[in-house]
Amino acid sequence: MPVGGYDPEDLDDRLETAMEAEGTEPSNWLTDEERREWERGGSLVDLLGEDDIRDLLGEDRASDGPGS
């Protein structure tokens, strides 16, 4: 059973919402080839890098270390 927020479809929805927020463009996050793949139904979780995902979701990398 997937955990809420960790289901790839849930993450894709959150990433798409963040990517489409006012003032952002998918081209800021995806190459032309990745964008075509996304438009064909590709997963943003698979297409985006870890840092881009963190940036889009507004996660602080400093909280990743030991003791967080």
Side-chain angles (χ1 to χ4, degrees), residues 12-45:
D12 262 7
D13 290 344
R14 286 183 61 197
L15 290 167
E16 185 171 350
T17 298
M19 193 182 309
E20 294 175 347
E22 185 175 337
T24 63
E25 291 289 326
S27 61
N28 292 347
W29 308 101
L30 300 169
T31 65
D32 290 340
E33 183 178 331
E34 290 168 335
R35 187 169 180 161
R36 284 189 296 273
E37 178 67 27
W38 176 49
E39 290 170 350
R40 288 190 302 257
S43 168
L44 289 173
V45 172

Side-chain angles (χ1 to χ4, degrees), residues 3-7 10-11 14:
V3 176
Y6 292 99
D7 177 31
D10 289 346
L11 285 174
R14 286 183 61 197

